[in-house]
């Protein structure tokens, strides 16, 4: 069983409420859930919609075909009615004229009778539960938990009324333990699990969810969260907190990441660890602020003036976002570098049901030097070492030693130095960190079959739709293996070289125009793809769409 529901209307019409309630009901009922949102950059008006796909088997991508449409305005039907599958149903209020075949009910009138016009959302929820054979008792439980006293009983009546219109026999499903979470929340939870104690950011869609989540748990988890005046301040404040001894993080999107470029170089030369999350959206400039893309890769690999090491990790799913965020803090501390996590609007806002995260897997390693190993006056912050990593002490806990940092080129102690030989020594020292960073690389995930003739490569959040597409195509008789890259800089290539040499056909899938990741592989492995499948209209790949495009080149 696999169903796809669209709830659409204008901003301010209550879609968030019905979508969030529906998500919770589905998750508690035991279904796998994959919910995407499409919204415009305005407070009211504009066409917004949620797509809620659910199934009794694991799913990881949005579908194009719709089984049910709940329309709160005419535009929803105008835009999406042609996507309705055969046997699908659409319904709306009787005040919406036209659209033959759409079922119409007195939803607005009934909501007013119940005392609140906004209850049309809850009536719609009841209709969805009835139509899709889901137990209304789970819906009542969620309503009671969600609404404040005084609103509960009215919404229960609205839910039951909607359910009475469409109710059919309930389809039982075995409950399973899961959590409902989106990518931004997973990043924030990973940061908290890693011991992050300072997060500074300026709100910018679609990265604001990380800021909002950490703000919501800041008191409970004793995390200082600062909404700054701009992104320049955000990264500089994070670096200051890290220098003072706590794990620190910042995040932004698009132009906000560009504003951080100078401070990013500062992190490189003062060798202060920091984690940065870039939740990508289409550019250049303001671009499409509420849509998705994977077009910041080249920018982030080369961000900041001068030459210095960094690590770039693309997040592949909400679960991966949690574990990779904790890993990012350890890598930042180990090599005293900035570590960039790459997400995007699709991953950031998509709610999925997934197995609870295993906190017992989380290891926190600060890689700090022991201050007792240094007599007063003997410590050099930028000591030349074979690994390129100098011993790091925390100010005020340095056993009488000075912990000196300097944005100018500096000697081992940290004093400004313009000596040519010292400059070479410090640049080479920092560059030697790459040896360790590369040794700690993680190879890409393998999906598909081992007996293959086609290799499909993707990175980051395209994992879900590529995985489902490959599974469907292999069921049709194709022989496809996939590699899904998380570590994208430095780029691990052992698996790629092995499997590329075995493939007759090599395809890359990504969400940008120019094939930035394909170009990076070509640069590092000296191998060009046979086919490049891209999308850059701001919307994610639908499952049916990617299957069609892969079939075209196969």
């Amino acid at each position: 069983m696999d169903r796809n529901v669209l709830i659409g209307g204008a901003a301010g019409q209550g879609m968030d409420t019905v979508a969030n309630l529906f998500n919770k009901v589905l998750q508690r009922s035991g279904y796998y859930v994959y919910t995407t949102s499409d919204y415009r950059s305005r407070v009211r008006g504009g066409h917004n919609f949620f797509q809620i796909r659910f199934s009794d088997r694991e799913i990881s991508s949005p579908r194009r075909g719709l089984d049910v449409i709940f329309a709160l305005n005419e535009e929803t039907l105008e835009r999406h009615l042609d996507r309705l599958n055969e046997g699908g149903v659409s319904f709306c209020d009787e005040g919406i004229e036209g659209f033959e075949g759409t079922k119409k009910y007195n939803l607005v009138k009934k909501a007013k009778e119940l005392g609140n016009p906004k209850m049309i959302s809850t009536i719609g929820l009841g209709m969805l539960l009835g139509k899709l054979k889901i137990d209304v008792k789970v819906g009542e439980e969620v309503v009671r938990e969600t609404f404040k006293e005084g609103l509960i009983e009215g919404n229960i009546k609205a839910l039951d009324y909607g359910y009475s219109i469409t109710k059919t026999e309930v389809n039982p499903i075995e409950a399973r333990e899961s959590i409902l979470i989106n990518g931004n929340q997973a990043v924030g939870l990973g940061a908290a699990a890693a011991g992050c104690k300072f997060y500074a950011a300026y709100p910018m869609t679609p990265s604001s969810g990380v800021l909002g989540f950490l703000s919501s748990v800041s008191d409970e988890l004793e995390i200082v969260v600062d909404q700054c005046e701009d992104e320049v301040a955000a990264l500089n404040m994070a670096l200051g907190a890290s220098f003072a001894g706590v794990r620190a993080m910042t995040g932004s999107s698009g132009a906000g990441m560009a504003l951080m470029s100078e401070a990013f170089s500062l992190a490189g030369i003062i060798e202060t660890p920091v984690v940065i999350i870039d939740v990508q959206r289409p550019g250049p400039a303001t671009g499409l602020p509420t849509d998705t893309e994977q077009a910041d890769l080249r920018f982030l690999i080369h961000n900041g003036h001068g030459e210095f090491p960094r690590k770039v990790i693309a997040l592949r799913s909400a679960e991966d976002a949690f574990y990779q965020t904790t890993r990012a803090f350890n890598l930042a501390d180990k090599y005293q570098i900035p570590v960039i996590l790459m997400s995007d609007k699709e991953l950031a806002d998509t709610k999925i049901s997934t197995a609870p995260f295993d906190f017992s897997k989380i290891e926190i390693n600060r890689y700090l030097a022991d201050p007792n190993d240094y007599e007063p006056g003997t410590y050099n912050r930028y000591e030349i070492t074979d690994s390129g990593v100098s011993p790091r002490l925390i100010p005020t806990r340095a056993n009488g030693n000075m912990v000196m940092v300097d944005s100018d080129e500096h000697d081992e102690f940290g004093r400004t130095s313009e000596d040519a030989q010292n400059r070479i020594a410090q640049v080479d020292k920092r560059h030697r960190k790459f040896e360790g960073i590369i040794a700690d690389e993680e190879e890409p995930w393998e999906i598909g079959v081992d007996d293959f003739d086609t290799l499909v490569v993707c990175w980051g959040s395209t994992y879900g739709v590529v995985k489902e597409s490959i599974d469907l195509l292999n069921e049709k008789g194709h022989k496809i293996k996939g590699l899904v890259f998380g570590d994208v800089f430095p780029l691990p290539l052992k698996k790629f070289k092995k499997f590329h040499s075995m493939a007759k056909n090599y395809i890359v899938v990504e969400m940008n125009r120019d094939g930035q990741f394909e170009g990076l592989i070509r640069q590092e492995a000296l191998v060009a793809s046979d086919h490049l499948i891209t999308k850059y209209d701001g919307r994610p790949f639908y499952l049916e769409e990617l299957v069609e495009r892969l079939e075209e080149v196969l």
Side-chain angles (χ1 to χ4, degrees), residues 391-410:
R392 180 175 172 230
L393 295 179
I394 301 302
T396 76
R397 301 199 296 270
N399 193 28
N401 280 287
M402 176 74 72
V403 181
M404 183 80 76
V405 297
D406 193 338
S407 65
D408 283 57
E409 190 58 272
H410 39 254

Side-chain angles (χ1 to χ4, degrees), residues 519-548:
L520 182 63
I521 294 176
R522 191 165 2 113
Q523 171 186 307
E524 299 296 321
L526 303 180
V527 172
S529 66
D530 298 305
H531 302 281
L532 175 62
I533 296 176
T534 65
K535 186 175 183 182
Y536 47 94
D537 61 359
R539 277 68 179 176
F541 279 109
Y542 287 122
L543 176 58
E544 302 96 323
E545 174 188 16
L546 184 56
V547 168
E548 289 170 6

Side-chain angles (χ1 to χ4, degrees), residues 194-198 237-248 272-273 329 333 364 366-368 392-397 403:
C196 177
K197 292 299 178 184
F198 184 80
M237 291 176 73
L239 288 172
S242 180
F243 172 71
V246 301
R247 284 191 153 175
T272 296
F329 278 96
D333 274 355
I364 297 177
R366 296 303 312 274
Y367 298 99
L368 295 171
R392 180 175 172 230
L393 295 179
I394 301 302
T396 76
R397 301 199 296 270
V403 181

Side-chain angles (χ1 to χ4, degrees), residues 201 222 273 455:
E222 297 182 340
L455 178 66

Side-chain angles (χ1 to χ4, degrees), residues 461-480:
S461 68
T462 51
Y463 157 68
V465 69
V466 170
K467 179 183 183 300
E468 280 204 80
S469 297
I470 288 176
D471 289 344
L472 286 172
L473 289 169
N474 283 338
E475 288 173 7
K476 292 182 177 183
H478 293 284
K479 297 180 178 180
I480 307 173

